[in-house]
Amino acid sequence: MRDGALLVVGDVITDVVARHRGPLAPGTDTAAAIRTVPGGAGANVACWAARWGGAEVRLLGRVGRDAAAWHERELAACGVRPLLVVDEGAPTGTVICLVDEGAAAERTFLTDSGASLRLDAGDWSDALLDGVARLHLSGYLLFTEPSRAFVAVALAAARARGVPVSLDPASAGFLAELGADRFRALVDGVDVLLPSRDEACLLTGSSDAVEAAALLSRHVPLVVAKLGAEGALLARSGAVYARVPAVPATPRDTTGAGDAFTGAFLASLLAGAGPERAAAQGCGAGARAVETIGGRPPSSA
């Protein structure tokens, strides 16, 4: 257990969630229940970590002036200390989440990243690590040049302080554009990688999640592959060494389930749990998340 806070750096997004049943009807109307809720992978991870554990959780992100005050209030309500940079040149990022209310509660995202990917090296200060026991980076930071420069500076500062760093790859779609080789180079120095099944397979070229997790663990000391209803795999030194079962749940909206896993996993590590116990906590949070509309924890979590 490390005394200190969790600093999460990542995207703060306004989610417009549209829940519909059955296929979309092109060229005409599809009935849906629509809500606007706070989201963003980085912000969601921070909120789940704050609700799940006892450590202080801080979030650094970039938002537009249009929604800065609202996002600060929502983060604080989840127990997160917001450290938001207000961007005068871009609006807050917005994601349209299309959620099929069928049995799988599958979702499709339409993403306007807005200010969220405009963090740059100038937004970093080594003082951000004061009192911090772990740094977590959202993989969305790897998808623009300014935020890649931010990641390089943050990783160097964390290495100099001896602060461990975790990263969630965030998006298989964006990873395909970035490329596996470039991704591995950019995450050099990360000690924990938390990919989804699709992300792990994309980054390795393997169609098998076990093999993919094992391959990734040759580049990152600990890989925790999130497999949804199949639980999670833990890999080190080129081999999977543990499987953690999922917690049964009835899905309503799978948005943010991976973020919930990551937040609870990191909070549990800070509380002194080993990786297997932390992954079991992550599976519990993921189950809670899929039964909740939106990507943030319910008030009772």
Side-chain angles (χ1 to χ4, degrees), residues 250-275:
T250 302
R252 296 181 66 205
D253 176 8
T254 56
T255 303
D259 303 332
F261 180 105
T262 297
F265 176 86
L266 295 174
S268 298
L269 284 186
L270 282 176

Side-chain angles (χ1 to χ4, degrees), residues 191-195 212-213 216-217 220-225 233-236:
D191 76 297
V192 180
L193 188 68
L194 295 122
L216 285 172
S217 71
V220 179
L222 174 63
V223 173
V224 183
L233 301 173
L234 285 78
R236 289 188 189 276

Side-chain angles (χ1 to χ4, degrees), residues 99-210:
V99 181
D100 188 338
E101 289 189 304
E106 195 51 72
R107 77 269 196 247
T108 301
F109 298 145
L110 302 174
T111 301
D112 178 354
S113 298
S116 67
L117 297 188
R118 285 162 59 97
L119 272 176
D120 60 34
D123 293 319
W124 178 261
S125 165
D126 288 354
L128 288 165
L129 292 177
D130 291 349
V132 167
R134 173 170 286 278
L135 171 64
H136 177 74
L137 302 173
S138 168
Y140 281 107
L141 295 169
L142 301 178
F143 302 137
T144 67
E145 199 57 52
S147 54
R148 282 192 286 269
F150 177 97
V151 168
V153 171
L155 279 173
R159 187 179 299 115
R161 292 270 192 109
V163 174
V165 183
S166 54
L167 184 139
D168 189 321
S171 168
F174 287 153
L175 282 175
E177 297 178 20
L178 182 67
D181 290 343
R182 193 174 190 193
F183 175 85
R184 284 194 293 269
L186 290 168
V187 302
D188 183 37
V190 167
D191 76 297
V192 180
L193 188 68
L194 295 122
S196 68
R197 178 201 303 272
D198 289 347
E199 292 156 3
C201 290
L202 189 152
L203 288 169
T204 59
S206 173
S207 60
D208 179 74
V210 174

